[in-house]
Amino acid sequence: MERECFKLLAKTQSGVEKSSVQALLAIVILQQGNSEASRKYLEESRQYSTNMDPSALADLGGGYLLLEEPDTALQYLELAIAKDPKLALAHGRAGMALMKLGRLCEAQDSLILARDLEPGLAAYCVNLARIQLLLGEPQSALDELDHPSLNNKPATPLAKKSRVEALLALNRLDEAEKLAHEILQGSGVDEPDGLTIYTLVLAACNRHNEAELYLRKALGKFPDNIEILGQLAELSLLQGRFGQAVEYLGRCIKKEPENSSLWARLSRACAPNYSQEAAIQAALKAVELTKGKTGLLPAEAITALAFAHSHGDEHIEAQKYFLQALKEVEDFPQARLGYGYLLLHLGKINEAIGHFETVNEKNPVIGFSALTTARRFPDDPTILEKIEKAARMPSLQGPVRSNLMFDLAVAWEKAKSYAKAFELATEANRVSQLFLPYNPEVHRGYVEEIMGAFSKEFFAQRKDFGDPSKLPIFVLGMPRSGTTLVEQILASHPDIFGAGELGQIPSLIATLSAWEQHIGSTHEYPQCISELTNSESQTLAQPLLADLQQFEPSALRVVDKLPHNFENIGLIHLFFPNATIIHIQRDARDCAISNYFTDYQAKFGGMGFAYDLKNIGEQLVDHQRLMDHWHRVLPGRILEIPYEGLVEKPEYYSRKMLEKIGIDWNPQVLNFNKLDRTVKTASFWQVRQPIYKTSRQRWRNYSEFLEPLQKALSVELANVVSVTDGKKSALPPGYFIKGVTMINNHNNREAETIFRKILDCHPKHAGATHYLGIARFRLGNQLKGVALVEVSVKLNPHRHQWFENLAKMYKQLNLPAQEAAALKSAKDLLEQPTEPWHFLFEYECKNIDIP
C-alpha cells in the first residue's frame, strides 16, 4: 500500500491531488509507527484542505486521529461531512474523535449514523458498543455486537472484551466467565489479550487475589507487556500499595520511555499518597514529551501537572495548568472536572457547577457524579436509573463502581427515597470494604493500650514536659462529627490559621516507635511513651511548632484538624501542655449515617470502620471510652462542643471556643462560609453554606435499617473489657536510658534493679532483657546472664552490638563454637544496609565491657 501511494504521489501534479494522496500516505506510514514522517505529510496536506474532496478530508482527519489529536481531526472530519453528509467513513472517524474527547453522546450519534450508512463495516458496531458500555447501556452494547454486519467475521480483541464486559454488567457472570475462558483457550495462554480479559472477569467477580495471581503469572511470560503491567498497577492502587503501583508503571515506561500518556499516568499514581515531588517530575516529563504537539496528549500531560500541584495545595499553579489544558482541548473532561473540583474546594461553587454541567452535556455519567458532589441532583428518576447501570459496569475495582453508587445514594436520599438510598449506600460500602480490612477487636485492644499508657500517675510524673507554646489548636472528634465546620469558624478569625488535616502527630508517633527500635526495646507506641524524657519531649516539639508557624508566620494560632487525633490527646498534652484541644461531639446515630453515606475515596488506610454499621458502632463506643478516659486523667483540659448546639447557637459556642483559645471575639467568625481557603475534606461543600440544621436527626430516615448499629452502641461501657491498671506507666521517665547509663558506668547493682522493674512492667522489653543479662553476668551469675542475653537477641535480632556482647560472654565461658556463631551474626548484620533514621536524642547502642 505504501509503495502504491508513493507511485501515485509521483504522478500527481496539482497541490490538491497531491495533498489527498499525502493524507492517505500519512495514515499508512503512521500504522507502521513512523509518526514524524506522517505528521510532515499531514501538515503539508492540510494547506489545501478547503479544496480537498470529502474522502481526502476524512483521511486527513483519520491521520490526526491516529496521532492522538482528536480535536484537530474533528475539524477536518466535520468539513468532510459538510461536503458529503452521507460519507460513512467521516462519521465513523468523527465518532472516534468525539469518544476520545469524552463527548460520548455525540460520539454515539455519529457512529450510529456511520453504521447505518455503511452497515457492512464491523468496526462501527464494535466502537459503538464501547461507547454504549461507557454510557451504562450494556444490553444495547450486546445488541450492537450481535449486529448482522458482524456475522461470519472473526471477532477482534476489542469486540471480545466488550462482549465479556457487557455480560458482566448484565450480571450474567457464568456466561462471561465461560466466554473469557474460551477466549483464553482459543487465543492460547501465550496471548496477553486473552489473559487480561480473563483477569477482568475475576476482578469483576470480586476474586481480586486470583486476578492478581493470574496477572503475576502472566507477567512471568510477558515481563514487558504494558497492559498486564498496567492492570497490576491499577490493582495495587486499589489496595493502597502505591509504591508497587509506581514500580509497575516504571516498568511500562522503561519499555516505552517516549510514551507521554504513561508518564502522565505515573504522575497520577504518585499523587497524593506517594510523593508530590515525584508526581510533578513525572508530569513535567509528560509535558516535555508533548512539546510541539497539539491536542489530547499535551492536554493530558498538562492536566497531570495540574493535579500534581493541586494535591500539594498549590492551587494557583494548579489553576494555571488546568486552564492551559483547556486551551489545548476545550472540553477535555479530566481538565474540566479537575478544575471544577479545585474551584469547589476553594468555595467557588457556582463556577465549579458551570464546568460540571459542561461535562454533563457531553458525558452524563461522569458529569452527574461531579454535579452530585456539588449537590445538584437530576429531577428525572430515569436519569438516576441510567447512571445506576453505568455504576454496575465491571472494572478491576469489581462489579460495582462504588464512587457512583455513593453519589446515587445521596441523590435518592435527596428525592426522599430512603430505602433505595440505603440499598445503594450498602452496596457501595460492601464493595469498598473488600479493600479495607478492619478488625474492631484490634482497635479495641489499641484503645486499651492507650488508656493503660496514659494514666493519672503517668501525667503526675510529667508535669513539666513539652513546650509551653499556645500556638497549636487541635480540633478533633469522630469523622463527620463537625470538625471541619469548627475549623472553618476558627479560621475565619484574622489571628487564626486553619491548616487542615495535618499528619504531624501520627508522624511523631512513627518517630517514637522507630526510636524504640533503635534503642532495642522492640516496643511501639503507646508502650514506648514511658521512656521519653522531658528534654526529649521539648526537642521533638520544637520542629513541629516551627512547621505550624510556616503555614502563616503572622498567625497567633494554627489549627490542626485531624479527627482521629482524639486517640492521641494524651500525647498532644504531653508535648503541648498549653495547646487548645477542642472535641466535637455529635449524636452517634447521625454520625454513623454520615460516615456510612460518605465516599472517602480510599480503598485503604484508617477509615476501614466506616463501611459497616456494626464497625461504626464499635468505633463510636471506643471513641466514647477514650474521651471519658481523657476527661478523667486530664480534668478540664478539653473543651467539649456539641455539634447540635453549635448549629443551634453558633455565636454562643464560637465565643466559648475563642475564650478557651485566649483570642478576642471577632464577629467575622460567623461568616465562616465566605472564607477564601481550600477545604479538602469530605465536608468541603457543607462548610461553604450558612449553618443549616437538616443534618440533625437524619438517622430517623433509616431507623428500620440500623439494628447492627444500635446493637453495637447498646454495649454498656462498663461491660467492655476493663482498662489495664496503669502499671506500665508507673516507671519514671527515661528509666531505661538511666539503666543503660548505669551499665556504661559499671553501676551493675543499680542497673539490675532498674531493668528488673522495667521487665516487671514490660516482660518482653528486649533492651532491658539484654542489659539485665549483662548486669547479672558481671555480678557473677554468668549462666543466668548469658541466658538473658540469648533471649534478648531472639526478641530483637537486629543489633550487631548485642551479638558481639554475646560473643564476649561465650568467650568468657570458653564456648568457642557459640562465640564464632555470634560473631558471624554480628558481621552479617554489619553488612546489611541500615534504615536512614536521624534521631534527635542521644543514645549510643555501644559494645559493653563484659568483665
Side-chain angles (χ1 to χ4, degrees):
M1 183 66 176
E2 182 180 356
R3 186 178 300 175
E4 293 173 5
C5 287
F6 276 116
K7 286 180 181 179
L8 188 59
L9 189 61
K11 293 179 182 179
T12 56
Q13 299 295 321
S14 72
V16 174
E17 291 178 353
K18 185 177 180 180
S19 64
S20 299
V21 177
Q22 285 176 321
L24 180 60
L25 180 61
I27 293 177
V28 173
I29 63 176
L30 189 58
Q31 289 172 336
Q32 297 172 359
N34 193 341
S35 59
E36 292 305 315
S38 174
R39 184 178 295 280
K40 173 177 174 290
Y41 285 123
L42 289 172
E43 291 299 318
E44 292 176 3
S45 179
R46 69 190 295 182
Q47 299 176 41
Y48 300 94
S49 60
T50 54
N51 297 317
M52 290 168 67
D53 65 54
S55 295
L57 285 167
D59 287 337
L60 183 58
Y64 280 107
L65 191 59
L66 289 172
L67 282 174
E68 294 296 334
E69 296 181 19
D71 50 341
T72 304
L74 201 55
Q75 296 175 27
Y76 298 110
L77 293 167
E78 288 175 344
L79 187 56
I81 291 168
K83 289 187 174 185
D84 183 359
K86 294 186 177 181
L87 183 60
L89 183 62
H91 285 290
R93 287 176 175 169
M96 290 302 299
L98 289 163
M99 182 167 72
K100 285 177 177 289
L101 291 168
R103 296 160 61 178
L104 299 186
C105 296
E106 296 168 81
Q108 182 175 235
D109 293 340
S110 291
L111 282 166
I112 288 173
L113 189 53
R115 180 203 62 193
D116 293 343
L117 288 168
E118 193 175 357
L121 195 59
Y124 298 145
C125 298
V126 176
N127 290 329
L128 185 54
R130 292 304 306 165
I131 290 173
Q132 288 165 338
L133 284 171
L134 292 171
L135 287 171
E137 300 171 2
Q139 187 56 59
S140 298
L142 206 57
D143 293 342
E144 208 59 52
L145 293 169
D146 290 329
H147 195 273
S149 63
L150 294 176
N151 289 345
N152 302 319
K153 292 182 181 177
T156 64
L158 185 61
K160 295 174 183 177
K161 181 181 179 183
S162 300
R163 183 177 293 277
V164 170
E165 288 183 6
L167 290 170
L168 288 171
L170 292 167
N171 206 32
R172 293 158 63 176
L173 304 183
D174 292 341
E175 291 177 68
E177 184 167 5
K178 181 181 177 182
L179 177 57
H181 195 265
E182 288 174 1
I183 293 168
L184 184 63
Q185 294 299 107
S187 61
V189 292
D190 293 332
E191 289 294 330
D193 286 332
L195 290 167
T196 52
I197 290 172
Y198 193 65
T199 52
L200 173 64
V201 172
L202 293 175
C205 294
N206 285 329
R207 293 155 63 185
H208 292 89
N209 291 337
E210 285 182 68
E212 185 172 6
L213 195 64
Y214 217 88
L215 286 171
R216 286 180 178 277
K217 186 177 179 181
L219 198 61
K221 296 181 179 179
F222 308 101
D224 298 324
N225 184 273
I226 286 177
E227 190 170 357
I228 292 173
L229 287 166
Q231 281 191 320
L232 280 167
E234 189 175 342
L235 277 175
S236 298
L237 286 173
L238 286 169
Q239 296 171 77
R241 301 200 300 259
F242 304 107
Q244 194 173 61
V246 167
E247 179 191 347
Y248 285 131
L249 291 172
R251 289 172 65 177
C252 291
I253 287 170
K254 190 174 182 181
K255 180 68 175 176
E256 295 186 12
E258 304 299 308
N259 188 327
S260 65
S261 292
L262 287 176
W263 284 101
R265 188 175 174 186
L266 175 62
S267 176
R268 296 294 296 272
C270 287
N273 295 296
Y274 184 72
S275 164
Q276 190 209 0
E277 182 57 32
I280 290 174
Q281 292 305 315
L284 286 171
K285 181 64 177 179
V287 171
E288 178 190 333
L289 289 170
T290 59
K291 197 170 289 184
K293 299 179 182 179
T294 60
L296 197 62
L297 291 179
E300 178 184 57
I302 297 166
T303 300
L305 187 56
F307 275 114
H309 282 287
S310 70
H311 288 306
D313 286 332
E314 299 164 3
H315 54 265
I316 295 175
E317 288 292 299
Q319 184 169 327
K320 178 180 77 173
Y321 289 121
F322 278 130
L323 290 172
Q324 190 177 325
L326 290 171
K327 283 183 181 178
E328 285 288 340
V329 178
E330 182 181 358
D331 288 322
F332 186 47
Q334 287 183 19
R336 200 166 282 285
L337 287 173
Y339 187 38
Y341 280 117
L342 177 64
L343 292 169
L344 204 59
H345 286 293
L346 290 170
K348 300 177 181 179
I349 295 175
N350 291 333
E351 204 176 331
I353 288 170
H355 287 281
F356 296 157
E357 286 177 340
T358 300
V359 174
N360 194 56
E361 292 170 6
K362 319 289 183 182
N363 188 333
V365 174
I366 58 175
F368 163 80
S369 180
L371 285 168
T372 301
T373 305
R375 296 303 189 267
R376 293 296 188 273
F377 306 101
D379 296 324
D380 186 354
T382 59
I383 296 176
L384 295 179
E385 291 166 4
K386 185 175 183 179
I387 302 302
E388 186 176 341
K389 289 180 181 178
R392 298 187 187 284
M393 288 305 303
S395 68
L396 285 182
Q397 185 184 137
V400 168
R401 301 181 187 192
S402 59
N403 61 318
L404 275 178
M405 280 297 187
F406 277 117
D407 292 336
L408 283 163
V410 176
W412 282 109
E413 181 183 58
K414 185 74 173 179
K416 298 186 178 180
S417 295
Y418 300 116
K420 179 70 172 177
F422 192 83
E423 174 194 339
L424 294 173
T426 298
E427 196 165 356
N429 280 307
R430 192 177 296 125
V431 170
S432 299
Q433 208 174 12
L434 294 171
F435 303 96
L436 284 156
Y438 177 75
N439 188 327
E441 292 180 4
V442 170
H443 184 264
R444 185 147 290 171
Y446 181 59
V447 168
E448 289 289 326
E449 290 177 356
I450 291 172
M451 292 192 291
F454 292 98
S455 65
K456 267 191 175 182
E457 185 181 2
F458 172 87
F459 288 114
Q461 293 173 341
R462 294 162 175 81
K463 290 181 179 178
D464 299 324
F465 270 52
D467 192 288
S469 172
K470 295 182 179 181
L471 178 69
I473 299 171
F474 294 93
V475 175
L476 40 82
M478 277 290 290
R480 309 300 294 164
S481 63
T483 54
T484 303
L485 172 61
V486 168
E487 183 201 22
Q488 189 80 348
I489 290 172
L490 296 177
S492 299
H493 195 290
D495 293 332
I496 301 175
F497 181 82
E501 295 185 357
L502 303 181
Q504 283 193 324
I505 301 302
S507 295
L508 175 60
I509 289 171
T511 300
L512 291 171
S513 293
W515 161 244
E516 288 299 313
Q517 293 300 314
H518 176 67
I519 68 173
S521 76
T522 68
H523 280 169
E524 293 185 351
Y525 182 84
Q527 297 98 326
C528 66
I529 196 63
S530 65
E531 302 288 359
L532 198 70
T533 66
N534 187 359
S535 62
E536 291 162 358
S537 73
Q538 294 173 9
T539 300
L540 277 174
Q542 287 161 11
L544 300 185
L545 290 170
D547 288 345
L548 285 178
Q549 196 73 76
Q550 285 179 5
F551 282 104
E552 179 51 67
S554 64
L556 297 181
R557 302 286 189 274
V558 178
V559 181
D560 177 353
K561 184 211 76 79
L562 189 65
H564 257 87
N565 266 339
F566 72 79
E567 295 178 345
N568 306 321
I569 288 175
L571 188 66
I572 289 169
H573 174 75
L574 193 67
F575 278 81
F576 305 107
N578 295 324
T580 304
I581 302 174
I582 300 175
H583 173 247
I584 319 304
Q585 185 78 44
R586 186 182 183 187
D587 182 285
R589 294 158 298 187
D590 279 336
C591 191
I593 284 296
S594 188
N595 273 282
Y596 198 65
F597 273 73
T598 296
D599 180 12
Y600 287 104
Q601 298 181 345
K603 306 295 181 284
F604 47 86
M607 295 301 294
F609 72 90
Y611 299 90
D612 178 271
L613 283 175
K614 179 177 179 290
N615 289 344
I616 294 172
E618 294 191 349
Q619 178 91 183
L620 282 160
V621 170
D622 288 346
H623 161 260
Q624 190 58 52
R625 292 184 69 219
L626 262 176
M627 292 313 303
D628 290 346
H629 173 75
W630 297 131
H631 284 301
R632 277 196 306 272
V633 299
L634 297 170
R637 182 70 180 85
I638 305 157
L639 176 63
E640 288 284 345
I641 297 293
Y643 171 79
E644 292 77 12
L646 180 63
V647 299
E648 192 68 42
K649 300 177 180 179
E651 182 175 343
Y652 171 80
Y653 283 101
S654 296
R655 285 182 178 275
K656 199 169 182 179
M657 288 190 288
L658 291 176
E659 183 182 349
K660 178 74 172 179
I661 292 166
I663 295 285
D664 290 338
W665 168 254
N666 189 313
Q668 191 172 321
V669 298
L670 299 179
N671 296 320
F672 65 89
N673 57 305
K674 298 177 182 177
L675 180 61
D676 184 17
R677 64 184 284 263
T678 306
V679 179
K680 302 186 77 172
T681 69
S683 306
F684 62 82
W685 180 83
Q686 288 95 327
V687 297
R688 303 301 185 187
Q689 315 304 314
I691 282 184
Y692 60 96
K693 304 174 184 178
T694 55
S695 61
R696 290 186 301 171
Q697 302 288 302
R698 180 186 179 190
W699 67 270
R700 293 190 182 280
N701 299 321
Y702 303 100
S703 57
E704 62 182 296
F705 308 112
L706 299 186
E707 184 181 351
L709 173 68
Q710 298 283 19
K711 189 174 181 181
L713 290 175
S714 66
V715 174
E716 291 286 340
L717 294 184
N719 292 336
V720 178
V721 178
S722 61
V723 69
T724 54
D725 59 11
K727 69 175 183 178
K728 293 181 181 179
S729 63
L731 298 172
Y735 205 48
F736 175 72
I737 300 299
K738 182 180 179 180
V740 174
T741 303
M742 294 292 179
I743 282 286
N744 290 337
N745 294 333
H746 284 265
N747 295 328
N748 299 310
R749 187 65 66 189
E750 293 89 339
E752 181 186 31
T753 300
I754 288 172
F755 294 126
R756 283 182 61 183
K757 286 183 179 179
I758 292 174
L759 288 170
D760 283 343
C761 294
H762 305 288
K764 292 187 178 181
H765 193 299
T769 304
H770 185 84
Y771 293 115
L772 178 61
I774 289 171
R776 287 185 171 170
F777 194 94
R778 287 174 173 177
L779 290 168
N781 194 344
Q782 293 179 325
L783 293 179
K784 184 65 174 178
V786 77
L788 285 167
V789 172
E790 287 172 339
V791 170
S792 76
V793 297
K794 289 180 181 178
L795 289 171
N796 186 353
H798 307 296
R799 306 245 66 84
H800 70 88
Q801 299 96 333
W802 290 9
F803 281 100
E804 290 169 2
N805 292 338
L806 184 58
K808 291 177 184 178
M809 290 179 168
Y810 286 142
K811 185 175 183 178
Q812 290 278 323
L813 296 172
N814 195 25
L815 298 170
Q818 289 90 330
E819 177 191 1
L823 288 172
K824 183 179 183 305
S825 296
K827 182 181 177 184
D828 291 344
L829 285 169
L830 277 169
E831 292 173 354
Q832 293 177 8
T834 56
E835 288 291 331
W837 286 102
H838 174 69
F839 293 99
L840 299 173
F841 320 139
E842 290 186 4
Y843 166 77
E844 186 178 357
C845 191
K846 60 169 67 174
N847 292 12
I848 300 296
D849 294 328
I850 298 302

